[in-house]
Amino acid sequence: MRILVTNDDGINAPGLKVAIAIANKVAGPKGEVWVVAPAFEQSGVGHCISYTRPMMIARLAERTYAAEGSPADCVLAAIHDVMDGAKPDLVISGVNSGNNAAENTLYSGTLGGAMEAALQGVKAIALSQFLGPRTRDLADPFDAAAEFGAGVVGDLLEKGLWDGMGYRLFYNVNFPPIGSGDVKGTRITKQGFRGEGLFTAEATISPTGRRFLWIKGGPQHLRTEDGSDVAANLDDYISITPLRADLTAHDAVETLRARFTS
């Protein structure tokens, strides 16, 4: 198996090392693990691509590259340049430092990399480690992801739905904000909605008197409805959420058709 690893925290991020270890376990001794990750942190860029400018890419080691672009750029670079047109069997994006559950899913560069892989016809799984008070004093805050990541990826490859046309399914996995010894299991979930966890903008004045805005995140430990990702994570479960790039509100289509044709 040939696995491509990317992320949005950058080529030097500790979570990338965890993802590479997970990929090596899944690929096995006869497999290949390739890494193409952003040269610098790209958190919050979503599914952005560098459509209006070129990007530099550098080989750092065997099958390891850094690109001056987004996670989606890295997937495109890997498939169409680095791997010489030979698609990987799987893309693992992460392990993100912090959760990509609920509304965070929409902003996440980690999810952007997985989404681009799915659009390119490649199986894709995004991995994120929820952080909080119970991970703060751990020797390794990625302990849960490191312990259970390979098992979750293997289960998804074996039991997951992998459609072959159109907007393909890909998966968003969030490990709970606890140590591995406290993880209760895995839950299949839907994307939650925190409401009060939305991003905001906050003004500040620089030492030179200029006014700037910081984008500020909301509280991350607000519980979402039962059956959703954040709820599962806060109940000490790993969440697995199936996603598609299709943004159509399918539940509204027929009602709107009826209203506009009457």
Side-chain angles (χ1 to χ4, degrees), residues 9 22 83 95 99-100 108 115 117 125 138 149 152-153 161 165-166 176 189-190 193 218-219 221 237:
D9 289 326
I22 291 169
M83 302 178 79
V95 176
N99 78 90
N100 277 313
S108 166
M115 185 184 299
I125 302 171
L138 293 176
V152 170
V153 171
L161 299 174
M165 296 179 65
T189 58
K190 60 184 177 181
F193 183 70
H221 286 250
Y237 289 93

Side-chain angles (χ1 to χ4, degrees), residues 145-214:
E147 178 67 25
F148 295 103
V152 170
V153 171
D155 284 345
L156 278 171
L157 289 173
E158 179 184 352
K159 305 172 186 176
L161 299 174
W162 299 101
D163 42 10
M165 296 179 65
Y167 291 109
R168 301 183 184 208
L169 278 169
F170 61 103
Y171 291 92
N172 182 23
V173 176
N174 283 274
F175 299 93
I178 54 177
S180 61
D182 295 322
V183 174
K184 294 178 180 177
T186 303
R187 291 286 183 267
I188 303 300
T189 58
K190 60 184 177 181
Q191 183 179 331
F193 183 70
R194 291 187 179 97
E196 295 180 26
L198 293 172
F199 287 91
T200 58
E202 185 173 290
T204 186
I205 305 299
S206 76
T208 59
R210 290 179 170 85
R211 190 171 185 270
F212 291 87
L213 292 177
W214 285 101

Side-chain angles (χ1 to χ4, degrees), residues 77-96:
I79 292 174
H80 298 286
D81 180 68
V82 171
M83 302 178 79
D84 205 22
K87 291 182 178 180
D89 301 302
L90 172 69
V91 169
I92 293 176
S93 188
V95 176
N96 191 67

